[in-house]
Amino acid sequence: MTPGPVRRRLADGREILYFDDEPGRPHDAVDSRPLDRVTTDSELRWDPMFGGWAVLAGHRQARTYRPPAGRCPLCPTRGEYATEIPDASYDVVVFENRFPSFTGAGERPCTQPVEGLAVPGYGRCEVVVPTDVHKAGIADLSPGRVRTLIDAWAQRTDELSHRPDIAAVSVFENRGDAVGVTLEHTHQQIYAFPFVPPITARFAASMADHRDRTGRCLVCDQLTHSLDAGDRTVSRRTKWSVVVPFAARWPFEVNVVPHRHVRGLPDLDAPERDELAEVWRDLFRRYDALFDQPRLPTIAAWHQMPSGTVDGHLFAQAFSVQRDADKLKYLAGSESAYGQWVLDVPPERTAELLRAAG
Ligand SMILES: [Zn+2]
Ligand SMILES: [Zn+2]
């Protein structure tokens, strides 16, 4: 049901995919830049002390950092300056990151920790650009465009999760200087990991444990509890709800949850995608209205089960690193050294503020 993209190559061999609102655009423009092939030297090192993989990607130090006006690599190519996107206009475009954390192919996911030995950091990192308008945020896009974007996320998840060396596919958006965004032009990222990242692993274990103990889905149960309580609900629609988790960790944290028990983005049907397009725009409109501040610094991330997991219930987690109109949430000793979050705004108050911002 996911429409296929138009596939082209950039000058250095990286793949670029166009997802159009209406099919039939030619995408004939050729990337004329004299680009060298991307050489990367990502490596994975297993951390036996705290568990998990450390990813070393030294080449990323050279990535484009806050380019001056007129030199945005995500804008369309119009005139002399050739950007990452050869076309003069586009709807949604996806391309391989020139400065990836993971690149190349392996035979299978890195499931076995190898102590003291570096492993090549294979996998794939993609950039998703949902508009050719430099200043447009998600809330500025039409529902139809956000719908095309959702189709792109679903298609990329489906294709990448079928690779034999990929263990998990993530789709996320960083927004705002305070989150460390190096490019102002709205974009999302897709990481196809060669291992299961720690929070995904912990979530998958919680899902399995809850299923063993109760025979039910943890996310279905949590959604029911939240909607029954009511005081943490931001918005409730036919197919989706936005709720603040009972034990939220981040300022203005919400979960965007499909009511149907669907495993991942590719499993969403057309009516669910249509409604999600409205819910997604509405969420970012609320964030921007909170402090009357466009682009409240936020992170929005889809949680999908590791490849090969049969059970699962998709949801997105979105939150801010700003806890008040003029105060940032810093990850200091408690969070950074011990992984222990302390929240300043109660979840029930967060829901109240986000409801009022609608
Ligand atoms: Zn731009
Ligand atoms: Zn469920």
Side-chain angles (χ1 to χ4, degrees):
M1 72 152 292
T2 306
V6 176
R7 292 167 183 270
R8 300 284 182 260
R9 292 272 172 191
L10 295 172
D12 55 9
R14 284 175 296 139
E15 202 174 12
I16 182 166
L17 302 94
Y18 293 93
F19 294 81
D20 298 323
D21 293 342
E22 300 292 334
R25 294 176 68 173
H27 302 296
D28 286 339
V30 173
D31 183 10
S32 56
R33 296 172 295 172
L35 290 183
D36 294 330
R37 285 241 158 209
V38 183
T39 50
T40 54
D41 51 1
S42 288
E43 62 177 56
L44 313 180
R45 296 183 182 187
W46 179 255
D47 175 2
M49 299 278 282
F50 299 117
W53 294 95
V55 182
L56 278 69
H59 56 273
R60 279 175 57 77
Q61 281 285 48
R63 70 186 187 273
T64 314
Y65 182 77
R66 299 188 182 183
R71 287 286 182 271
C72 170
L74 307 185
C75 273
T77 296
R78 292 171 184 155
E80 273 180 25
Y81 179 66
T83 72
E84 287 281 63
I85 302 146
D87 273 35
S89 72
Y90 59 83
D91 295 338
V92 177
V93 68
V94 179
F95 57 88
E96 288 180 74
N97 196 322
R98 184 158 169 80
F99 303 96
S101 302
F102 306 98
T103 185
E107 286 176 16
R108 62 185 76 84
C110 306
T111 44
Q112 296 298 323
V114 198
E115 278 187 36
L117 201 68
V119 179
Y122 54 80
R124 179 144 151 158
C125 293
E126 299 181 339
V127 180
V128 183
V129 194
T131 171
D132 60 10
V133 180
H134 182 78
K135 291 271 184 196
I138 290 289
D140 302 318
L141 305 180
S142 69
R145 175 60 56 79
V146 181
R147 177 66 160 76
T148 306
L149 176 63
I150 293 163
D151 284 342
W153 295 341
Q155 194 279 340
R156 299 316 299 146
T157 299
D158 191 39
E159 183 174 315
L160 293 167
S161 62
H162 281 93
R163 266 176 55 161
D165 57 342
I166 295 305
V169 178
S170 65
V171 179
F172 60 96
E173 177 176 327
N174 300 328
R175 195 173 78 135
D177 290 350
V179 177
V181 175
T182 52
L183 300 174
E184 184 188 39
H185 197 130
T186 294
H187 63 287
Q188 293 91 41
Q189 300 190 62
I190 295 176
Y191 271 27
F193 289 100
F195 53 82
V196 180
I199 288 181
T200 305
R202 215 189 293 173
F203 170 55
S206 301
M207 284 284 284
D209 178 60
H210 190 82
R211 181 72 75 187
D212 284 350
R213 284 190 292 109
T214 67
R216 296 189 306 270
C217 163
L218 175 60
V219 176
C220 284
D221 278 2
Q222 287 292 311
L223 178 63
T224 304
H225 291 159
S226 295
L227 293 176
D228 285 351
D231 54 356
R232 286 179 288 103
T233 304
V234 176
S235 67
R236 181 179 187 167
R237 305 229 186 168
T238 314
K239 299 176 185 306
W240 292 85
S241 284
V242 179
V243 295
V244 182
F246 179 68
R249 298 176 176 208
W250 293 92
F252 306 107
E253 179 172 343
V254 298
N255 288 342
V256 181
V257 194
H259 295 173
R260 192 165 64 95
H261 180 79
V262 288
R263 198 179 156 281
L265 287 161
D267 306 307
L268 295 173
D269 63 23
E272 282 163 339
R273 293 181 191 203
D274 288 343
E275 193 178 281
L276 174 60
E278 292 170 23
V279 169
W280 202 249
R281 288 172 77 240
D282 178 65
L283 173 62
F284 284 95
R285 212 169 40 227
R286 287 172 196 268
Y287 274 147
D288 291 344
L290 261 182
F291 303 116
D292 194 20
Q293 173 190 348
R295 311 272 180 112
L296 179 80
T298 51
I299 293 173
W302 286 97
H303 287 287
Q304 312 194 77
M305 278 289 135
S307 304
T309 312
V310 177
D311 194 21
H313 192 140
L314 171 76
F315 71 98
Q317 180 191 25
F319 53 84
S320 182
V321 297
Q322 193 172 312
R323 59 188 169 86
D324 208 340
D326 53 1
K327 295 190 189 82
L328 286 178
K329 161 83 179 168
Y330 288 103
L331 300 189
S334 183
E335 288 91 354
S336 296
Y338 300 106
Q340 184 53 60
W341 259 246
V342 181
L343 187 68
D344 305 283
V345 183
E348 294 75 15
R349 174 70 181 146
T350 294
E352 204 178 311
L353 290 168
L354 282 169
R355 277 197 301 270

